[in-house]
């Protein structure tokens, strides 16, 4: 194992003697052993870890597993460097091995290699071995374990499944401390962070500065097509970010920071061979894109970049006055910036196979480089052009977990390298011939001018952090601290949800409200914490104060989940309970840990007992189905007499919807989503088995001609049909393909699975208030492949979204009529 340069707290090794290999189970564990005062074991998948992926099945998998259950807790962080060796006991000097580093935590208790070694090579001599690794079904597996002091104080960014360069690129920018200080100074007063790249970046940088846990990047991703469409375009990402930062830094004390750090100048000269015509242009650049094909190292790439090029054939130079001419083109650098971004062009288009392929050739680059040899003879050479390597950004296609992006950085002016990936770990760098660094996967190099490194990497002090960010963090810390202090007392508190009539009216689907079904939009339900020992009277005063309503005008109803899984009112809580504890009330109603209540607001203070018990009234909830808009509308609650006929409330229902009082109605009870029962108007409520909290749904009775009209247009004409369609609804998440550009980076729509795609397009267009012809959609399947969707495809939404519930939209800005 390479020496990572960090204090070793403990070193142990353990050898597991494995026998009867061909008859082993699919998964087995070694005996336990100790290292660093903790218990460990090995996990072996002798025939491949099928739980990982199908490709791994051809390889054996071995992992180091933390098994000290008594010491597993959220604060567990054990820094471990370990190596795994598999060897033949009869030939111990020949073995296969892999080594790695991992920060073991409560979330990641095992780590290792899903493709440790090819199964087919275990039983044959190879790689200079005279005997196979497994002979007579026997082998040894040894693990070498170093327990290290926590070697890094740096914080990572959460891997949220996007599998792109974003996190590693952000880490590289964050650790240019001069830039970080400038980002902190961007004024954010009145800035809506949801619509600002710079604000999102500022928050990420600040959280990386002060947090003790990995930081999310969700807010920033909304501006970059969710990292799905810039998968290889690092330059485009940096350009967008740079332009936004330059704009936000204008007229501040750090105005010009981006140019100062990253801008150099380059001179392009084009001189015609056969006519007297020459073009000379000097431009700024913020990065340099270098070819690696045909280049062994960085010097080869630079020399290729400034090599004179002949413009001939189809590539002739178009001059003004002379037309197309053969010309010589040369580029030369006039200056280099303090921070130099070198983009290594590892991708080229394969014409024969019509696809982009990655170049994985070994490429060398130095820790130190003098760039003066690539400067124009006329350039200012009064300053040093010696540069030190600061960062290497890598895309590793051979990594166990698909292709992964890492950043190897030297955050300080030292030789200590840190690897920023899913975890932040120490790193050893691969040196090749003559001390040059080597990589098959590096796609970007970051160099810093040696004479500027002290300024660029100078430490962040408290004065560098604006008050509005410090206040934000102090507030968050205070909340966090309070929560920690209260965590021991959580058992003393009762979570209480208050369902208001407004919440009921806003709910457009099945049931009164939606507490937990993620397939539909969740209702916004106010939530309160109250001590379990507090009385109902105390609780009632708290809620009355919060909603600014007189206590006597509030009546609470308990809400329960009936045996048929529906949410309904159960019974009112009368004032006999004013001196009872909230915990007593909860135990009487439910086995749940929380309490769900419906808050009824009364017009006048009343004597509840007399009104309710003497009249024999029940409360029901009313919904109206509109076949024209194909929608269900909640109309709130209604008190009815149990012994009255159902038809007696028809005038009230007509009045609620401003229909003529003699409008014929059809009325149903919503029993469950699958059971919608028609009610006979001449029956009483008690005979119809209607009780407190039940839901009644009504619509205009349609004539045969109207029914036929809705049927011909594919629309639903009655309440049972509509409820059946609700069961086919799903929430579809629409994300802007270029989120930073569009007014709605993300939104949800509730759509029916059986909708044809053209109807979906129209629904989205209506939501965005644009013409549907301006919309394009892209689908990303489970294998990360993109597919543009033709709006005329004869597919339903469920057929399109077989492997995803996300659709990416693009709004066309310029339409050409033909």
């Amino acid at each position: 194992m390479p020496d990572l340069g960090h204090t070793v707290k403990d070193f142990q090794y353990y050898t597991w003697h494995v026998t009867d290999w061909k008859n082993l189970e699919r998964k087995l564990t070694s005996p336990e052993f100790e290292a660093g005062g903790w218990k460990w074991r090995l996990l072996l998948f002798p025939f491949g870890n099928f739980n990982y992926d199908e490709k791994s099945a051809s390889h054996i998998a071995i992992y180091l597993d933390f098994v000290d259950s008594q010491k597993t807790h959220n604060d567990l962080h054990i820094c471990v460097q370990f190596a795994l060796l598999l060897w033949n006991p009869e030939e111990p000097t020949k073995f296969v091995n892999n080594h790695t580093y991992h920060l073991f935590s409560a979330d990641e208790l095992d780590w290792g290699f899903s493709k440790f070694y090819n199964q087919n090579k275990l039983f044959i001599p190879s790689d200079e071995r005279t005997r196979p690794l497994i002979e007579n079904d026997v082998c040894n597996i040894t693990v070498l374990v170093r327990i290290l002091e926590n070697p890094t104080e740096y914080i990572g960014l959460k891997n949220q499944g996007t599998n792109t360069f974003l996190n590693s690129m952000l880490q590289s920018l964050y650790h240019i401390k001069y830039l970080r200080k400038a980002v902190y100074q961007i004024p954010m007063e009145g800035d809506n962070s949801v619509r600002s790249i710079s604000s999102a970046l500022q928050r990420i940088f600040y959280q990386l500065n002060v947090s003790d846990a990995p930081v999310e990047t969700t807010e920033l991703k909304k501006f970059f097509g969710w990292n799905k469409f810039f998968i290889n375009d690092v330059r485009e990402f940096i350009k967008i970010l740079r332009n936004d930062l330059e704009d936000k830094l204008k007229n501040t004390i750090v105005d010009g920071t981006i140019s100062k750090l990253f801008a150099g100048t380059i001179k392009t000269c084009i001189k015609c061979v056969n006519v007297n015509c020459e073009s000379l242009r000097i431009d700024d650049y913020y990065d340099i894109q270098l070819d690696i094909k045909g280049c062994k190292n960085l010097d080869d790439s630079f020399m290729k970049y400034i090599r004179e090029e002949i413009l001939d054939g189809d590539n002739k130079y178009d001059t003004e006055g002379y037309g197309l001419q053969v010309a010589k083109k040369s580029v030369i650098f006039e200056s280099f910036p303090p921070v130099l971004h070198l983009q290594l062009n590892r991708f080229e288009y394969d014409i024969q196979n019509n696809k982009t392929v990655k170049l994985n050739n070994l490429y060398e680059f130095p820790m130190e480089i003098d760039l003066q040899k690539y400067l124009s003879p006329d350039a200012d050479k009064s300053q040093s052009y010696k540069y030190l390597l600061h960062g290497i950004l890598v895309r590793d296609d051979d990594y166990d977990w698909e292709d992964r992006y890492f950043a190897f950085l030297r955050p300080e002016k030292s030789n200590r390298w840190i690897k920023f990936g899913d975890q932040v770990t120490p790193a050893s760098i691969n040196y090749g011939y003559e001390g040059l660094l080597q990589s098959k996967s590096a796609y970007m190099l970051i160099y810093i001018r040696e004479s500027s490194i002290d300024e660029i990497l100078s430490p962040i002090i408290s004065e560098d952090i604006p008050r509005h960010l410090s206040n934000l963090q102090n507030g968050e810390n205070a909340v966090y601290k309070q929560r920690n202090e209260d965590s021991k007392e959580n058992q003393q508190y009762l979570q209480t949800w208050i369902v208001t009539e407004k919440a009921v009216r806003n709910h457009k689907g099945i049931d009164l409200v939606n507490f937990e079904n993620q397939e539909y939009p969740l209702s916004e339900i106010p939530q309160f914490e109250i001590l379990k020992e507090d009385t109902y009277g105390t609780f009632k005063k708290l809620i009355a104060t919060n909603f600014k309503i007189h206590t006597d005008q509030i009546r609470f109803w308990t809400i329960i989940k009936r045996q048929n899984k529906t949410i309904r009112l159960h019974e009112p809580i009368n004032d006999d309970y004013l001196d009872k504890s909230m915990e007593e009330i909860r135990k009487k109603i439910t086995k749940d840990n929380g309490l769900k209540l419906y808050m009824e607001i009364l017009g006048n203070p009343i004597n509840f007992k007399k009104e309710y018990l003497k009249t024999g009234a029940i409360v029901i909830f009313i919904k109206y189905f509109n076949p024209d808009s194909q929608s269900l509308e909640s109309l709130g609650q209604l008190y009815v007499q149990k012994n009255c006929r159902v038809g007696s409330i028809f005038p009230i229902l007509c009045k609620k919807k401003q229909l003529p009082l003699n409008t014929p109605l059809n009325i149903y009870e919503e029993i469950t989503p699958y059971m919608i029962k028609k009610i006979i108007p001449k029956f009483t409520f008690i005979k119809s088995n209607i009780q407190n909290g039940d839901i009644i749904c009504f619509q205009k009775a349609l004539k045969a001609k109207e029914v036929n009209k809705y049927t011909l247009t594919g629309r639903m004409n009655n309440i049972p049909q509509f409820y059946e369609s609700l069961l086919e609804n799903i929430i579809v998440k629409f994300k802007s393909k270029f989120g930073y550009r569009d007014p709605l980076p993300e939104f949800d729509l509730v759509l029916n699975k059986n909708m044809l795609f053209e109807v979906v397009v129209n629904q989205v267009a209506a939501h965005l208030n644009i013409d549907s012809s301006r919309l394009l959609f892209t689908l990303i399947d489970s294998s990360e492949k993109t597919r543009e969707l033709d709006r005329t495809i004869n597919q339903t939404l469920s057929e399109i979204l077989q492997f995803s519930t996300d659709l990416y939209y693009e709004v066309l800005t310029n339409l050409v009529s033909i």
Side-chain angles (χ1 to χ4, degrees), residues 37 54 185 232 247 255 274 292 341 364 371 438 452 468 490 492 529 556 605 624 639 654 699 706 708 760 772 792 797:
E54 293 181 2
Q185 299 305 318
N232 294 319
D247 180 63
D255 193 351
N274 301 317
I292 67 166
H341 281 166
E364 298 175 337
L371 300 176
Q438 297 178 324
S452 304
H468 77 273
N490 281 344
Q492 304 174 25
E529 280 188 350
F556 286 109
Y624 172 69
Y639 274 98
C654 289
Q699 70 173 97
E706 294 174 302
N708 189 49
V760 174
S772 62
T792 62
L797 187 59

Side-chain angles (χ1 to χ4, degrees), residues 503-687:
V504 173
R505 285 181 176 270
N506 286 339
H507 181 57
K508 305 299 182 186
I510 298 165
D511 240 323
L512 283 180
V513 291
N514 183 17
F515 279 107
E516 58 190 24
N517 191 343
Q518 298 288 340
E519 293 185 8
Y520 304 97
L522 296 177
S523 302
E524 294 184 8
I525 310 296
Q527 187 176 352
F528 297 86
E529 280 188 350
I530 189 167
L531 284 169
K532 292 179 179 179
E533 64 186 26
D534 279 353
T535 65
Y536 173 60
T538 301
F539 168 75
K540 199 172 181 182
K541 289 177 182 177
L542 169 69
I543 302 303
T545 301
N546 185 274
F547 285 95
K548 299 179 181 179
I549 305 170
H550 196 278
T551 309
D552 291 340
Q553 291 182 285
I554 294 177
R555 176 186 296 157
F556 286 109
W557 292 73
T558 59
I559 295 176
I560 63 168
K561 181 180 284 188
R562 293 180 177 174
Q563 287 185 346
N564 61 13
K565 308 301 182 184
T566 58
I567 299 295
R568 296 291 188 270
L569 264 62
H570 179 52
E571 61 182 28
I573 306 176
N574 61 46
D575 285 349
D576 289 346
Y577 285 88
L578 287 176
D579 295 327
K580 300 287 186 182
S581 74
M582 293 298 290
E583 179 66 1
E584 287 180 82
I585 295 174
R586 182 196 69 80
K587 286 181 177 179
K588 183 176 182 294
I589 299 165
T590 179
K591 295 180 181 179
D592 295 343
N593 294 327
L595 190 60
K596 297 179 176 67
L597 301 174
Y598 172 70
M599 183 173 69
E600 180 185 8
I601 300 174
L602 307 167
N604 298 297
I606 60 170
N607 185 319
F608 172 75
K609 271 188 175 183
K610 290 181 180 179
E611 183 211 26
Y612 186 78
L613 295 177
K614 286 184 179 181
T615 62
I618 59 173
V619 64
I620 60 175
F621 289 86
I622 308 297
K623 295 180 181 180
Y624 172 69
F625 170 59
N626 185 339
D628 290 325
S629 61
Q630 298 282 284
S631 63
L632 196 64
E633 177 187 359
S634 178
L635 301 179
Q637 67 183 57
L638 178 68
Y639 274 98
V640 298
Q641 295 294 326
K642 290 186 291 187
N643 294 318
C644 287
R645 293 183 177 182
V646 174
S648 67
I649 68 169
F650 281 15
I652 300 172
L653 300 182
C654 289
K655 187 176 180 180
K656 279 182 173 288
K657 282 308 298 174
Q658 298 180 340
L659 301 172
L661 294 181
N662 60 349
T663 302
L665 302 177
N666 289 334
I667 191 163
Y668 297 81
E669 181 190 359
E670 177 191 311
I671 300 175
T672 72
Y674 306 94
M675 187 182 298
I676 309 300
K677 183 185 76 175
K678 192 166 186 178
I679 302 174
I680 300 174
K682 67 180 182 180
F683 284 2
T684 64
F685 284 98
I686 194 169
K687 187 174 182 180

Side-chain angles (χ1 to χ4, degrees), residues 92-160:
T93 59
K94 304 295 183 181
F95 53 85
V96 290
N97 73 100
N98 280 298
H99 62 82
T100 187
Y101 173 93
H102 184 65
L103 185 64
F104 286 82
S105 66
D107 293 329
E108 291 185 334
L109 294 172
D110 62 77
W111 197 254
F113 305 92
S114 63
K115 301 176 185 177
F116 181 82
Y117 196 69
N118 192 318
Q119 293 183 48
N120 297 326
K121 295 183 179 180
L122 291 171
F123 302 95
I124 57 174
S126 61
D127 301 327
E128 299 181 354
R129 291 191 302 270
T130 58
R131 304 172 74 161
L133 290 167
I134 299 179
E135 193 172 14
N136 300 320
D137 272 358
V138 172
C139 73
N140 285 343
I141 299 175
T142 297
V143 58
L144 310 175
V145 180
R146 284 179 184 158
I147 309 294
L148 304 180
E149 290 282 359
N150 195 340
T152 173
E153 68 277 18
Y154 304 109
I155 299 300
L157 293 165
K158 285 186 179 179
N159 177 7
Q160 295 169 292

Side-chain angles (χ1 to χ4, degrees), residues 175 300 360 476 539 646 728:
H175 286 289
D300 289 348
N360 290 313
E476 291 174 348
F539 168 75
V646 174
E728 297 296 315

Side-chain angles (χ1 to χ4, degrees), residues 376-395:
S376 162
D378 302 326
D380 178 9
K381 299 178 183 177
S382 59
Q383 60 179 318
S384 170
Y385 282 92
K386 185 178 179 181
Y387 281 73
L388 305 179
L389 184 64
H390 171 72
I392 310 165
L393 271 60
V394 171
R395 170 180 167 171

Side-chain angles (χ1 to χ4, degrees), residues 441-458:
S441 305
Y443 65 89
M444 182 173 172
L445 305 175
I446 304 167
Y447 284 88
I448 297 178
R449 184 184 289 141
E450 185 180 39
S451 59
S452 304
I453 200 164
D454 289 334
E455 180 184 17
I456 290 171
L457 300 184
S458 62

